[in-house]
Amino acid sequence: MIITLKKGASDAQVENLKALLRTKNIEPRVWKGELETVIGCVGDIAHLDPGLIEALEVVEHVQRIQEPFKAANRKFHPDDSVIECGAGAKVGGGNFAVIAGPCSVEGEEQIVGVAKDVKAAGATMLRGGAFKPRTSPYAFQGMGAEGLRLLSLAKKETGLPIVTELMDFKDIELFNDVDVIQIGARNMQNFNLLREVGAYTKKPILLKRGMSATLQELLMSAEYIMASGNPNVILCERGIRTFETALRNTLDLGVVTVLHRLSHLPVVVDPSHATGHSWMVDSVAVAATAIGADGLIIEVHNDPPHAKCDGAQSQTPAMFAKTMDRVRAVRAVI
Amino acid sequence: MIITLKKGASDAQVENLKALLRTKNIEPRVWKGELETVIGCVGDIAHLDPGLIEALEVVEHVQRIQEPFKAANRKFHPDDSVIECGAGAKVGGGNFAVIAGPCSVEGEEQIVGVAKDVKAAGATMLRGGAFKPRTSPYAFQGMGAEGLRLLSLAKKETGLPIVTELMDFKDIELFNDVDVIQIGARNMQNFNLLREVGAYTKKPILLKRGMSATLQELLMSAEYIMASGNPNVILCERGIRTFETALRNTLDLGVVTVLHRLSHLPVVVDPSHATGHSWMVDSVAVAATAIGADGLIIEVHNDPPHAKCDGAQSQTPAMFAKTMDRVRAVRAVI
Amino acid sequence: MIITLKKGASDAQVENLKALLRTKNIEPRVWKGELETVIGCVGDIAHLDPGLIEALEVVEHVQRIQEPFKAANRKFHPDDSVIECGAGAKVGGGNFAVIAGPCSVEGEEQIVGVAKDVKAAGATMLRGGAFKPRTSPYAFQGMGAEGLRLLSLAKKETGLPIVTELMDFKDIELFNDVDVIQIGARNMQNFNLLREVGAYTKKPILLKRGMSATLQELLMSAEYIMASGNPNVILCERGIRTFETALRNTLDLGVVTVLHRLSHLPVVVDPSHATGHSWMVDSVAVAATAIGADGLIIEVHNDPPHAKCDGAQSQTPAMFAKTMDRVRAVRAVI
Amino acid sequence: MIITLKKGASDAQVENLKALLRTKNIEPRVWKGELETVIGCVGDIAHLDPGLIEALEVVEHVQRIQEPFKAANRKFHPDDSVIECGAGAKVGGGNFAVIAGPCSVEGEEQIVGVAKDVKAAGATMLRGGAFKPRTSPYAFQGMGAEGLRLLSLAKKETGLPIVTELMDFKDIELFNDVDVIQIGARNMQNFNLLREVGAYTKKPILLKRGMSATLQELLMSAEYIMASGNPNVILCERGIRTFETALRNTLDLGVVTVLHRLSHLPVVVDPSHATGHSWMVDSVAVAATAIGADGLIIEVHNDPPHAKCDGAQSQTPAMFAKTMDRVRAVRAVI
């Protein structure tokens, strides 16, 4: 951490600040320039709130140098994490996951049918929403507990591990048969929920990046889960919000490479939410594979025009099978 | 709702779509241009999900015309809502609220002292955080139930109604003495929480805009609360996330005027979070008053350099008193 | 400038970097932490390109501390600049400018009529576009030289100094009678144009912030003009581009306060472009006044529905007169 | 174009508007809903400025349906454009271009050496800046005419066509030996420059997307060039500006697919500017290839740590050769 002092800081003020830092087990180094005095802080500063220092009257600016995340930081864990997702499915460290299925579970025939289709095409896990966060209170909100029961049926039929979203910790006991718990983009900074799933379970948590979350905020949310006791976090890029309105979101594909440099956690990409259009999912899925993502999460529906949500971005099983062929071809050469 | 069909849509496809719309109690009007056929939808479309229509193969594009919010919509409720906040404090319809106090409650002396100071300067309500959403799991998370107890003490001493944040519905029974329940920016789309507070209480809900929430999303979140049974929603602009990093957030002050046009709900402005710097709070508070906001929510701390959070953006009681003088002067002339 | 080295930087690498910095008249100070070695640079670093340092293999990260602008920097020029705009009109240092007139000059009667109207209401300068930057090649592009001739006529009739946009330096000789030269948002980083107007004239330059320009970039563009020889720069905030689509742009009003802290140059606000709606101009103009802007630039048209451009955001003379009353009232109390 | 009228629009107002539209050769179709009256416009509306209609008092909202670009629109030109770039190099319609070379020309040995290296690795064109747009007036601004002379030398030695940026039309006569003229991101809306290069030459124009330009604005800028007489436009995605600061820009890779749908023009991707880090260029180049870009433009420098600009994002020739191997492998399978 680098602390820049205001022009005209007195020697007494500098000494006071040094004393304050030492009470926090931080060793300050001071040097004076023409216009500013600067103090460098050496030591374990992950627990020091920069805002506290910035609030001091003598301080002009505070700049962190070390990242504030530790458990998620590749500096302290150089090897890729490999997350076990059940039934032999893994993600990270060279293991590529393909999570496919409908936006929401709508009935037994639908979910079992789609599960068989995506398995045949090469999916390694089944997704399907039972609890759905919707912008409008008047929109379909998911089948709830019944949706989870139908997902279990589909798992029994196909052997595919289940990935589904938890919106509220009070529903956690319904998730016993769920293999990977998704935390949605809108809950990425629902810190209570992060702490609760981190403390309650060691099941993998698929953590989606919030619509305007920086990479550091995403990693700090992973840190909440990990610091609570669950190291099995899978990061997910699903598009961010920008000025561009041509697509539902702006896919920020470069983050895959940056996250791999900053963290040992696996990163999967969601081309369905990132684009909002089924005709774009294929090319984006292939590009995400090429850039080195550890997996994909793709919405597939047996009958998109009649889907209860997100039909516009859902592939049909036939489209998905073609995408899988191209994904495999690219995986083979990179 | 205006539906644009793809070039080359057949008559049969158009007839199918018209039939589908009629099953949803929507009356379609069709006309054909050189390149596109367009269908206009008349009727109650608030419950129709545009995504469903957009997913149809024949559809190029769907454009909403009517706003999807009803309870919050000024078209259906032309008069300003006036929200009663306890002890005679009101907001909206010409009633100006000044909510002031520390970011977090830190002790009895602190909260009671600040409460007296802000009351003396003209505040109409007391704010103070007991449960704090923090980006880092290693940062101070608030005093919890004990913080609420201290807020009650400060209320008893000063008569000021209390405004404080609820992060998790399981804590709601601790909020009996709270007058206005705040839903924070990070929980603006925690739809379960919105529904729960809407159904459980008629107490005013101060709903902060999410960091990248559009105005329509903010109003849809208000709609969640209102549709669940609680019409007493106060909207709060607190800055949005943009490319500009000179400030903590970008204050989007123009939204006050737009929200007043779209909705009958009161709008308060938070200059502390919008700017992140105590030296900016004064000018922004005055500007927010000038543009016609229904109130302000300002962080005031007895000793900002030693605040446990957000010290950098906290005014001292003396700064706050000066700001109040200027706010009153502007109120008098607009 | 603070240079963070990569983990494992060797002593020889550190010595090489120190030697390199000394060749650039920079005195390096080194200290070593547990994980990183950091080098602080003292001296005149405004001419040092941080990218050059960042490209070195041993470097992890470079952080500027001093601002890269000098001529525009308040640290070196503590007093407000007061810019003389002709005919006694001034801006900055307590002088408030009101620049009003149509988006584009459309005819003699129109521009002379509007000039008289805005003067009567209290405007101190006349604006009007002769060369218009338009997103579409098929839209009206302005009257060109004839427009400038008509502006001169209006100036002769009313005595108001003229403000108008220069898009191309080859037109500069047509601007002899122009008092303040506007550089539009889309040309804020047309560096050749900035250098040319800076070298050719000492007339005030009204520099509009680009749609996604940071404050530092705006000040660096002012620096181009000033370093070329013209110190008379007026900064203009006109809204930035964000995810929010409810308005034409997002007015970033807080920048007035920040720019005043960073720079001695005056800052005017354009509520017309910032909002895109005539019904919003009044409240935003009043808020900009309240926050401490040094002036306003407002589009006023005698007949907005038939304006050749930007009719939707143009006030009528009657609306403008009412806004001026409110602006004066707020000026009196702040 | 769909025009929504205000609630309470009178029959006379509707008739007036219909008459106005007919004077512009537009056939209006009216229908009335419960709350709004809507008018659909059929006919050639590319020349109609929506702002004019929106300014009318009776109008609530105007929504374009047809795109405002024509020459660049795939609807009117279904086949991909193939642009000839000299010496047999082509881009578009299945022809993949690799444009490589240093950010700026620094000397004969440097540019000829890099040209030979990138040719050997598979580049089809040589890039190199002679006129450089720099944020700071104190930074290196390029070698100018001498830089162009050195590019010609490198072209003679290698046979590679030259791509270089034109910042100011007054320099155009120096560009006789240049094969592809680049218009930089900061000049994407320098409409005079677009018109001038469009009218003066039929040489291919590489048009880079502005930092906050929407896809529609990018296509309208292409339209300026095309409407002036030059149909040979190559679009270039180079990253956009968002809230995320982990990278120099946010690469918006999905736009390749969207632009291909909207337009027949080729789209190349610039992974160097999009990321700002040489260690990221490889993975992003491969992803851009996988998504279907028509080419890449990559910064390659013989000695990045001593480059006069953008060293941090320049690949060495050895890195570039490895990237080319991976790009070819991906091209072979998609």
Side-chain angles (χ1 to χ4, degrees):
Chain A
M1 182 182 282
I2 305 290
I3 304 169
T4 310
L5 303 188
K6 287 200 182 122
K7 206 175 154 177
S10 72
D11 287 353
Q13 285 176 308
V14 173
E15 288 309 311
N16 284 345
L17 179 50
K18 284 168 68 177
L20 174 65
L21 290 167
R22 286 195 185 108
T23 65
K24 294 174 188 292
N25 292 318
I26 284 166
E27 185 47 39
R29 308 270 177 104
V30 177
W31 84 94
K32 296 189 177 189
E34 251 175 280
L35 290 167
E36 286 105 349
T37 297
V38 175
I39 299 183
C41 300
V42 183
D44 175 19
I45 58 158
H47 299 93
L48 179 62
D49 181 357
L52 292 185
I53 304 302
E54 207 155 36
L56 299 171
E57 209 192 314
V58 72
V59 171
E60 170 91 24
H61 181 73
V62 173
Q63 171 66 20
R64 260 189 190 287
I65 300 238
Q66 282 178 288
E67 293 95 353
F69 47 95
K70 305 190 90 177
N73 199 325
R74 190 178 282 275
K75 280 188 187 149
F76 307 110
H77 307 75
D79 294 335
D80 287 351
S81 281
V82 177
I83 314 278
E84 309 270 348
C85 299
K90 292 177 190 176
V91 60
N95 299 284
F96 194 75
V98 180
I99 307 166
C103 174
S104 59
V105 180
E106 297 171 16
E108 179 174 341
E109 199 180 348
Q110 176 238 20
I111 190 66
V112 174
V114 173
K116 288 179 177 169
D117 287 342
V118 299
K119 188 182 184 187
T124 61
M125 297 188 233
L126 173 67
R127 60 151 289 157
F131 296 95
K132 299 298 308 171
R134 304 302 300 275
T135 307
S136 167
Y138 310 123
F140 173 62
Q141 312 268 330
M143 293 181 78
E146 173 65 5
L148 290 174
R149 195 186 64 80
L150 297 178
L151 281 168
S152 285
L153 265 180
K155 175 180 174 178
K156 204 172 291 172
E157 290 277 332
T158 59
L160 290 178
I162 302 170
V163 183
T164 195
E165 178 166 355
L166 176 72
M167 288 177 66
D168 198 325
F169 190 70
K170 75 171 159 33
D171 299 322
I172 191 72
E173 300 206 357
L174 300 169
F175 280 62
N176 285 336
D177 197 35
V178 170
D179 298 279
V180 176
I181 297 173
Q182 177 178 317
I183 301 292
R186 290 176 180 80
N187 276 323
M188 192 202 85
Q189 292 196 319
N190 182 338
F191 301 119
N192 286 36
L193 183 59
L194 300 177
R195 252 192 306 252
E196 286 163 329
V197 296
Y200 180 85
T201 182
K202 291 272 190 300
K203 283 184 186 176
I205 307 297
L206 180 74
L207 179 65
K208 297 192 109 177
R209 183 183 184 188
M211 256 175 295
S212 63
T214 62
L215 292 195
Q216 183 168 304
E217 287 171 340
L218 173 60
L219 289 168
M220 289 309 288
S221 287
E223 194 82 8
Y224 258 96
I225 298 168
M226 298 171 91
S228 303
N230 182 350
N232 300 310
V233 178
I234 305 164
L235 305 172
C236 180
E237 160 66 22
R238 42 77 74 207
I240 56 173
R241 184 160 275 184
T242 71
F243 65 84
E244 178 62 70
T245 56
L247 296 179
R248 182 166 177 178
N249 295 291
T250 296
L251 178 71
D252 185 9
L253 208 47
V255 304
V256 175
T257 307
V258 184
L259 285 172
H260 278 162
R261 189 177 173 101
L262 295 174
S263 176
H264 52 92
L265 298 173
V267 185
V268 304
V269 171
D270 176 345
S272 310
H273 283 85
T275 63
H277 298 289
S278 60
W279 56 270
M280 283 198 63
V281 169
D282 176 74
S283 64
V284 168
V286 171
T289 305
I291 210 168
D294 300 291
L296 298 167
I297 175 163
I298 297 183
E299 291 192 351
V300 180
H301 194 281
N302 52 317
D303 182 13
H306 296 98
K308 290 204 173 168
C309 80
D310 282 352
Q313 71 194 32
S314 292
Q315 288 193 316
T316 59
M319 292 165 81
F320 175 68
K322 278 189 201 154
T323 295
M324 284 303 294
D325 287 343
R326 298 185 68 219
V327 164
R328 269 186 293 261
V330 167
R331 288 271 303 155
V333 301
I334 60 166
Chain B
M1 183 184 281
I2 305 291
I3 305 168
T4 311
L5 303 188
K6 286 199 183 124
K7 204 175 155 177
S10 72
D11 287 354
Q13 285 175 309
V14 173
E15 287 310 312
N16 283 346
L17 178 50
K18 285 168 68 178
L20 174 66
L21 289 167
R22 286 195 185 109
T23 65
K24 294 174 189 292
N25 291 318
I26 284 166
E27 184 47 38
R29 308 271 177 106
V30 178
W31 85 93
K32 297 188 177 189
E34 251 174 280
L35 290 168
E36 287 105 347
T37 296
V38 175
I39 299 182
C41 300
V42 182
D44 176 19
I45 59 158
H47 299 93
L48 179 63
D49 180 358
L52 292 186
I53 304 301
E54 207 155 37
L56 299 172
E57 210 194 312
V58 70
V59 171
E60 171 89 22
H61 181 73
V62 173
Q63 172 65 21
R64 259 190 189 288
I65 298 234
Q66 282 179 288
E67 293 96 352
F69 47 95
K70 304 191 91 176
N73 199 325
R74 191 178 282 275
K75 278 188 188 150
F76 307 111
H77 306 75
D79 294 335
D80 286 352
S81 281
V82 178
I83 314 277
E84 309 271 348
C85 300
K90 293 177 192 178
V91 60
N95 300 285
F96 194 76
V98 180
I99 307 166
C103 173
S104 59
V105 180
E106 298 171 16
E108 178 174 339
E109 199 179 348
Q110 175 238 22
I111 189 65
V112 174
V114 173
K116 288 179 178 169
D117 287 342
V118 299
K119 188 182 184 187
T124 61
M125 297 188 232
L126 174 67
R127 60 151 290 155
F131 297 94
K132 299 297 308 171
R134 303 303 300 275
T135 307
S136 167
Y138 309 123
F140 174 62
Q141 311 269 329
M143 293 181 80
E146 173 65 5
L148 290 174
R149 195 184 65 80
L150 297 178
L151 281 168
S152 286
L153 266 179
K155 175 180 175 178
K156 205 172 291 174
E157 290 278 331
T158 61
L160 289 177
I162 304 170
V163 182
T164 196
E165 178 167 354
L166 176 71
M167 288 177 65
D168 198 324
F169 190 70
K170 73 172 159 34
D171 299 321
I172 191 72
E173 300 206 357
L174 300 169
F175 279 62
N176 285 336
D177 197 36
V178 170
D179 298 280
V180 176
I181 297 173
Q182 178 179 317
I183 301 292
R186 291 176 179 79
N187 276 323
M188 192 202 87
Q189 292 195 319
N190 182 338
F191 300 118
N192 286 36
L193 183 60
L194 300 178
R195 252 194 305 254
E196 285 163 330
V197 295
Y200 179 85
T201 182
K202 292 272 191 300
K203 283 185 186 176
I205 308 297
L206 180 74
L207 179 65
K208 296 192 110 178
R209 182 183 183 189
M211 256 175 295
S212 62
T214 62
L215 292 195
Q216 183 168 305
E217 287 171 339
L218 173 60
L219 289 168
M220 289 310 288
S221 287
E223 193 83 8
Y224 258 96
I225 298 167
M226 298 170 91
S228 304
N230 183 349
N232 300 309
V233 178
I234 304 164
L235 305 172
C236 180
E237 160 65 22
R238 42 77 74 207
I240 56 172
R241 184 160 275 184
T242 71
F243 64 85
E244 178 62 71
T245 56
L247 295 179
R248 181 167 177 177
N249 294 291
T250 296
L251 177 72
D252 185 10
L253 208 48
V255 304
V256 175
T257 307
V258 184
L259 285 172
H260 278 162
R261 189 177 172 102
L262 295 174
S263 177
H264 51 94
L265 297 173
V267 184
V268 304
V269 171
D270 176 345
S272 310
H273 283 85
T275 64
H277 298 289
S278 59
W279 56 269
M280 282 199 63
V281 168
D282 176 74
S283 64
V284 168
V286 172
T289 305
I291 210 168
D294 300 291
L296 298 167
I297 175 164
I298 297 183
E299 291 192 352
V300 179
H301 194 280
N302 52 316
D303 183 12
H306 296 98
K308 290 203 172 167
C309 80
D310 282 352
Q313 70 194 33
S314 292
Q315 288 193 317
T316 60
M319 293 165 81
F320 176 68
K322 277 189 203 156
T323 295
M324 283 303 294
D325 287 343
R326 299 184 69 221
V327 164
R328 269 186 294 262
V330 167
R331 287 272 304 155
V333 300
I334 61 165
Chain C
M1 182 182 281
I2 306 290
I3 304 168
T4 311
L5 304 187
K6 287 198 183 125
K7 205 175 155 178
S10 71
D11 287 353
Q13 285 176 309
V14 173
E15 287 310 311
N16 284 346
L17 178 51
K18 284 168 69 178
L20 173 67
L21 290 166
R22 287 197 184 107
T23 66
K24 294 175 189 291
N25 292 318
I26 284 166
E27 185 46 38
R29 310 269 179 104
V30 177
W31 86 94
K32 298 189 176 188
E34 253 174 279
L35 290 167
E36 286 105 347
T37 296
V38 175
I39 299 182
C41 300
V42 182
D44 176 18
I45 59 158
H47 299 93
L48 179 63
D49 181 356
L52 293 185
I53 304 302
E54 207 156 36
L56 299 172
E57 208 192 314
V58 69
V59 172
E60 170 90 23
H61 180 73
V62 174
Q63 171 65 20
R64 260 190 189 287
I65 299 235
Q66 282 178 288
E67 294 95 355
F69 47 96
K70 304 189 90 177
N73 199 327
R74 191 179 281 275
K75 279 188 187 150
F76 307 111
H77 307 76
D79 293 335
D80 286 351
S81 282
V82 177
I83 315 278
E84 308 270 349
C85 300
K90 293 177 192 177
V91 60
N95 300 283
F96 194 76
V98 179
I99 308 166
C103 174
S104 59
V105 181
E106 297 171 17
E108 179 174 338
E109 199 180 348
Q110 176 238 21
I111 189 66
V112 174
V114 172
K116 289 179 178 169
D117 287 342
V118 299
K119 189 183 183 186
T124 62
M125 298 189 233
L126 174 66
R127 59 151 292 156
F131 297 95
K132 299 298 308 172
R134 304 301 301 275
T135 307
S136 167
Y138 310 122
F140 174 62
Q141 311 269 329
M143 292 181 80
E146 174 64 6
L148 290 174
R149 196 185 64 80
L150 298 179
L151 280 168
S152 285
L153 265 180
K155 175 181 175 178
K156 204 172 292 172
E157 290 277 332
T158 59
L160 290 178
I162 303 170
V163 183
T164 195
E165 178 166 354
L166 176 72
M167 287 177 66
D168 198 326
F169 189 69
K170 75 170 158 36
D171 299 321
I172 191 74
E173 300 205 359
L174 300 169
F175 280 62
N176 285 337
D177 198 35
V178 170
D179 298 279
V180 176
I181 297 174
Q182 177 179 318
I183 301 292
R186 291 176 179 81
N187 276 322
M188 192 202 86
Q189 292 196 318
N190 182 338
F191 301 119
N192 286 35
L193 183 60
L194 300 177
R195 253 194 305 253
E196 286 163 329
V197 296
Y200 179 86
T201 183
K202 292 272 190 300
K203 284 186 186 175
I205 307 297
L206 180 74
L207 179 65
K208 297 192 109 177
R209 181 183 185 190
M211 256 174 296
S212 63
T214 62
L215 292 194
Q216 182 168 305
E217 286 171 341
L218 172 61
L219 290 167
M220 289 310 287
S221 287
E223 193 83 9
Y224 259 95
I225 298 168
M226 299 171 91
S228 304
N230 183 349
N232 299 309
V233 178
I234 305 163
L235 305 172
C236 180
E237 161 65 21
R238 40 78 74 209
I240 57 173
R241 185 160 276 184
T242 71
F243 65 84
E244 178 61 71
T245 57
L247 295 179
R248 182 167 175 177
N249 294 291
T250 296
L251 178 72
D252 185 10
L253 209 48
V255 304
V256 175
T257 308
V258 185
L259 285 172
H260 279 162
R261 188 177 173 103
L262 294 174
S263 176
H264 52 92
L265 298 173
V267 184
V268 304
V269 171
D270 177 345
S272 310
H273 283 85
T275 63
H277 297 289
S278 59
W279 57 269
M280 282 198 63
V281 168
D282 176 74
S283 64
V284 168
V286 171
T289 305
I291 210 168
D294 300 291
L296 299 167
I297 175 164
I298 298 182
E299 290 191 352
V300 180
H301 194 282
N302 51 318
D303 183 13
H306 297 98
K308 289 204 173 169
C309 79
D310 281 350
Q313 70 194 32
S314 292
Q315 286 193 318
T316 60
M319 291 164 82
F320 175 68
K322 277 189 202 154
T323 295
M324 284 303 294
D325 287 343
R326 299 184 69 219
V327 164
R328 269 185 295 262
V330 167
R331 288 273 303 155
V333 301
I334 60 165
Chain D
M1 183 183 282
I2 305 290
I3 304 167
T4 311
L5 303 188
K6 287 199 183 123
K7 205 174 154 177
S10 72
D11 287 354
Q13 285 176 309
V14 173
E15 288 309 313
N16 285 346
L17 178 50
K18 284 168 69 177
L20 174 66
L21 289 167
R22 287 195 183 109
T23 66
K24 294 175 188 291
N25 292 318
I26 284 166
E27 186 47 38
R29 309 272 177 104
V30 178
W31 84 95
K32 297 189 176 188
E34 251 174 280
L35 290 167
E36 288 104 346
T37 297
V38 175
I39 299 182
C41 300
V42 183
D44 176 18
I45 59 158
H47 299 93
L48 180 64
D49 181 356
L52 292 186
I53 303 302
E54 207 155 35
L56 299 171
E57 211 193 314
V58 69
V59 171
E60 170 91 22
H61 181 73
V62 173
Q63 171 66 18
R64 261 191 188 288
I65 299 237
Q66 283 177 290
E67 294 95 353
F69 46 96
K70 305 190 89 177
N73 198 326
R74 191 178 281 278
K75 279 189 188 149
F76 306 111
H77 307 75
D79 294 334
D80 286 351
S81 282
V82 177
I83 314 277
E84 308 271 349
C85 300
K90 293 178 191 176
V91 60
N95 300 284
F96 194 76
V98 180
I99 307 167
C103 175
S104 60
V105 181
E106 297 171 17
E108 179 174 337
E109 200 179 347
Q110 175 237 22
I111 189 67
V112 174
V114 173
K116 288 179 178 170
D117 287 342
V118 299
K119 188 182 184 187
T124 61
M125 297 189 232
L126 174 67
R127 61 151 290 156
F131 297 95
K132 299 297 308 171
R134 302 302 299 275
T135 306
S136 167
Y138 309 122
F140 174 62
Q141 311 269 327
M143 293 180 79
E146 173 65 4
L148 290 174
R149 195 184 65 79
L150 297 178
L151 280 168
S152 284
L153 265 180
K155 175 180 175 179
K156 205 172 289 174
E157 290 277 331
T158 59
L160 289 178
I162 304 169
V163 183
T164 195
E165 178 166 353
L166 176 71
M167 287 177 65
D168 199 325
F169 190 70
K170 75 172 157 35
D171 299 322
I172 191 74
E173 301 206 357
L174 300 169
F175 280 62
N176 284 336
D177 197 35
V178 170
D179 298 279
V180 176
I181 297 172
Q182 178 178 316
I183 301 292
R186 289 175 181 80
N187 277 323
M188 191 201 88
Q189 292 196 320
N190 182 337
F191 300 119
N192 286 35
L193 183 60
L194 299 178
R195 254 195 303 253
E196 286 164 330
V197 296
Y200 180 86
T201 183
K202 293 272 191 299
K203 284 185 186 176
I205 308 298
L206 180 73
L207 179 66
K208 296 191 110 177
R209 182 182 183 189
M211 255 174 296
S212 64
T214 62
L215 292 195
Q216 183 168 305
E217 287 171 339
L218 173 60
L219 289 167
M220 289 311 287
S221 287
E223 193 82 8
Y224 258 96
I225 297 168
M226 298 172 91
S228 303
N230 183 348
N232 299 309
V233 178
I234 304 164
L235 305 172
C236 180
E237 160 64 23
R238 42 76 75 207
I240 57 172
R241 185 159 276 183
T242 72
F243 64 85
E244 178 62 72
T245 57
L247 296 179
R248 182 167 177 177
N249 294 290
T250 296
L251 177 73
D252 186 9
L253 208 48
V255 304
V256 175
T257 307
V258 184
L259 285 171
H260 279 162
R261 188 177 172 103
L262 294 174
S263 176
H264 52 94
L265 298 173
V267 184
V268 304
V269 170
D270 177 344
S272 309
H273 283 85
T275 64
H277 297 290
S278 60
W279 56 268
M280 282 199 64
V281 168
D282 177 73
S283 64
V284 168
V286 170
T289 305
I291 211 169
D294 300 291
L296 299 166
I297 175 163
I298 297 182
E299 290 192 351
V300 179
H301 193 283
N302 52 317
D303 183 13
H306 296 97
K308 290 203 173 169
C309 80
D310 281 352
Q313 70 195 32
S314 292
Q315 286 194 318
T316 60
M319 291 165 82
F320 175 68
K322 277 190 201 153
T323 295
M324 283 303 295
D325 287 344
R326 298 185 69 219
V327 164
R328 270 186 293 262
V330 167
R331 288 271 303 154
V333 300
I334 61 165

